[in-house]
Amino acid sequence: MTIEMGVLTTHVPRICHEDHVADFQKPMVQAMKEVSKTIYSIQPDVLVIVSCHWNSTFHHFVDTTQRHKGILTAFECPELISDVPYNYPGDEQLGKQLVEAGKKAGLPVIEVNDPTYVWDYGTVVPLRYLVPNEDIPIIDLSVVWAASLDETYTWGQQIGKVLRESDKHAVFVSSGALSHNLVRGPELMPTLSEQALDKQFTEYLINGDFTSARNMLPQYARAAGVESGGRHLAMLLGVLEGDYRGNFLAYGQSSGSGNVVMTFQA
Ligand SMILES: [Fe+2]
């Protein structure tokens, strides 16, 4: 039916548990809670999320599992994310439609329908804030290292087409940072140059100038070390192709990375 809203969100591991969030990251958490209110006011039938921490090498994976249930201890940061349970419904039918559409477009898309698959923290952390009641069906997507930004954009276009042609109301979430040249020190901001690039990219999104955002992305992704090489952003731009504008809610740091919380509505 329609993509009711797009979301670009952070998933920095230090916000996994709300009672441990540092002051400098609280505005991002507050913004995610605002986004959650909007999501619940929309009451979507499904939330599709791409996570920069589900890194696949060759294939675009679609998690069509009907019940996503597990306990996450993040292998990158078990000191921050350990023994975190989650239990969300899935949408096998729509997930399969996404797989089919991707294959028809000639893309190497593979269905993952496996209750033993454990989610990554780029999926779990934002959903703890965006869908805290665990009551909206989720479809999880990977970012693919062998896929160029253009291929990832094309995959995003196919996803957007399926969601628009479905009779379901959907929200699409892109989980990942902007600049991402990580350094030790959680409180450290990106460099001034990286912040300037993040700001310019964000301004294009706010102005609905997705063409410029897409044109900027390849060089920006290299210079600022954008998370997942910018693939989560390419996918978001492909999915939201059309008349969407960004609404800026927060920008914050984590170990030298720049993280934004934004929504997109037509
Ligand atoms: Fe990350």
Side-chain angles (χ1 to χ4, degrees), residues 11-13 52-53 76 121-122 175-177 180 182 227 259:
H11 56 236
V12 294
C52 286
H53 288 256
E76 293 166 76
Y121 83 75
S175 170
H180 196 259
L182 297 182
E227 191 164 26
N259 300 272

Side-chain angles (χ1 to χ4, degrees), residues 33-147:
K33 290 180 153 194
E34 289 299 315
V35 176
S36 177
K37 282 186 202 160
T38 311
I39 290 172
Y40 277 103
S41 72
I42 290 170
Q43 295 197 307
D45 300 301
V46 63
L47 186 149
V48 182
I49 180 169
V50 59
S51 167
C52 286
H53 288 256
W54 188 5
N55 299 300
S56 50
T57 311
F58 301 117
H59 303 295
H60 300 275
F61 288 125
V62 178
D63 182 357
T64 63
T65 311
Q66 195 57 42
R67 172 61 58 179
H68 311 285
K69 187 175 180 195
I71 296 173
L72 173 66
T73 296
F75 61 83
E76 293 166 76
C77 48
E79 85 285 16
L80 297 172
I81 300 176
S82 170
D83 202 19
V84 176
Y86 62 87
N87 186 356
Y88 288 81
D91 188 332
E92 186 175 358
Q93 186 215 6
L94 186 62
K96 285 178 187 293
Q97 286 177 29
L98 293 174
V99 173
E100 208 49 46
K103 284 182 174 166
K104 267 192 189 148
L107 299 167
V109 181
I110 288 186
E111 175 185 2
V112 177
N113 195 337
D114 183 348
T116 69
Y117 174 69
V118 178
W119 274 353
D120 62 282
Y121 83 75
T123 301
V124 171
V125 169
L127 289 182
R128 282 165 66 81
Y129 290 102
L130 300 180
V131 189
N133 301 334
E134 301 187 322
D135 53 355
I136 297 171
I138 308 292
I139 297 172
D140 198 19
L141 306 171
S142 67
V143 292
V144 183
W145 289 118

